[in-house]
Amino acid sequence: MPEREARRALHVGGQAVIEGVMMRSPTRLATAVRTPDGEVVVSAEFFVSLAKRHRLLGLPIVRGAVSLFETFMIAVKALNFSAEHAAGEGGEAGGGLSTLHMVLTVAGAFLLGLALFFYIPLKLTELAGFESGLAFNLVDGLIRLVFIVLYIILVSLWKEMRRIFEYHGAEHKTIFAFEAGEEVTPETVKGYPRMHPRCSTSFLLIVVIVSILVFMFFGRPENVGERLLRLAAVPVIAGLSYEVLRLSALPGVRRWLGFVFWPGIFLQRFTTREPSADQIEVAIAALEASLAETALDS
């Protein structure tokens, strides 16, 4: 298999953290952070998704729901590591939060997301008095879309978030250069786009569209049980959205259906910023650590 195709098949992903980047390959997680004294500190560990280890959890749609939960857990741990070292406190890599604390943090974030992006739009739509199931779900989805877009724009205006968005851009550019088969250096990475089709920003918009289509089958909720049923469908919506996001990364799909994913790419203009050379260096350090011991078919 040519190296370029082998690199794409690895499905390397990541996220920006405080003064750094987390990268994830199929077998390793790595977080690189620049400390106040200019040193780049890296934490790396072996990690294989539950979807890879258990056949049933690796089925389409199911693997998306599993991945969403794992992503939350990984994000909290990476942010914890970056907060420790970006502040110059040192300490043992990956320490700080206990497993129980991480689970509670993830559960709290998930419940807050459900309330803000599912429950509140549902209640607002009910107050509008729509009787038609079609009209109800279209308006419910539109309100959800407005909430998400406003949330992204408001967060982008938060001055303290600018450096994280710069690291977000560094993460995307580095992954693009890697997937293109380039030698990943600050010079080569700099020339690549900062918007990537597999970004979580695009994922949020896909979730909104998929939720509208799924909820069409539920009609207008009339009682508590039907409202709870909609909430129970969220993992299914996440799983379907994950499959759509995976498809969006295929060159053929992007070539012919790129317009479908354009809104998500456009919103990344708010959640990414052009990174500096030293920020790109941090992203490259995270990528290299995540790929250690990972073989490419040639």
Side-chain angles (χ1 to χ4, degrees):
M1 180 187 295
E3 184 177 7
R4 186 172 182 176
E5 284 71 19
R7 288 184 176 192
R8 284 179 175 167
L10 282 177
H11 293 294
V12 174
Q15 72 169 70
V17 294
I18 302 168
E19 291 301 322
V21 172
M22 182 276 290
M23 290 286 190
R24 175 180 175 180
S25 75
T27 58
R28 288 175 71 84
L29 292 173
T31 303
V33 178
R34 191 174 294 278
T35 64
D37 61 6
E39 180 187 1
V40 177
V41 179
V42 179
S43 170
E45 62 182 282
F46 179 77
F47 179 86
V48 176
S49 171
L50 288 171
K52 296 285 187 180
R53 287 182 274 158
H54 302 283
R55 182 174 297 180
L56 289 179
L57 297 181
L59 293 174
I61 301 177
V62 177
R63 64 188 177 186
V66 171
S67 178
L68 181 63
F69 177 77
E70 287 181 334
T71 298
F72 271 120
M73 295 291 289
I74 291 167
V76 171
K77 188 172 184 179
L79 284 168
N80 181 44
F81 173 80
S82 68
E84 291 174 8
H85 292 277
E89 297 174 357
E92 184 180 348
L97 292 179
S98 66
T99 301
L100 176 60
H101 194 174
M102 282 197 292
V103 170
L104 292 176
T105 301
V106 170
F110 185 70
L111 290 175
L112 180 62
L114 284 179
L116 183 60
F117 299 123
F118 282 90
Y119 183 73
I120 294 178
L122 176 65
K123 293 301 294 182
L124 291 175
T125 308
E126 288 178 345
L127 291 174
F130 289 97
E131 295 297 330
S132 164
L134 176 63
F136 183 95
N137 285 296
L138 285 175
V139 172
D140 176 49
L142 180 61
I143 294 174
R144 194 177 305 116
L145 177 62
V146 170
F147 272 34
I148 287 176
V149 172
L150 285 177
Y151 172 81
I152 290 172
I153 292 175
L154 288 174
V155 168
S156 73
L157 297 176
W158 188 7
K159 186 169 64 174
E160 286 75 9
M161 289 294 292
R162 183 174 183 88
R163 284 191 64 80
I164 290 182
F165 290 157
E166 289 170 355
Y167 277 106
H168 193 190
E171 173 225 328
H172 284 182
K173 284 172 170 281
T174 301
I175 291 175
F176 257 128
F178 172 74
E179 292 176 337
E182 290 264 21
E183 179 184 1
V184 183
T185 66
E187 292 73 26
T188 58
V189 167
K190 187 177 180 180
Y192 281 87
R194 71 174 199 262
M195 279 75 77
H196 196 284
R198 292 202 313 273
C199 177
S200 57
T201 306
S202 298
F203 178 74
L204 288 174
L205 284 186
I206 294 172
V207 165
V208 172
I209 296 170
V210 171
S211 68
I212 294 173
L213 298 176
V214 170
F215 288 153
M216 287 295 181
F217 293 96
F218 289 69
R220 186 184 189 280
E222 301 293 345
N223 51 53
V224 174
E226 291 180 356
R227 294 187 186 93
L228 291 176
L229 184 61
R230 292 167 76 95
L231 292 178
V234 169
V236 177
I237 292 169
L240 287 168
S241 302
Y242 175 81
E243 300 301 328
V244 175
L245 190 68
R246 283 174 61 94
L247 286 174
S248 72
L250 299 177
V253 174
R254 290 205 305 269
R255 185 179 304 115
W256 297 106
L257 295 175
F259 66 93
V260 175
F261 306 104
W262 178 85
I265 298 293
F266 175 78
L267 275 183
Q268 288 180 47
R269 295 180 179 274
F270 295 99
T271 60
T272 63
R273 293 287 187 270
E274 284 297 326
S276 62
D278 64 327
Q279 290 171 325
I280 291 174
E281 288 175 358
V282 174
I284 292 173
L287 175 69
E288 290 176 344
S290 72
L291 294 173
E293 304 173 13
T294 300
L296 290 174
D297 295 330
S298 57

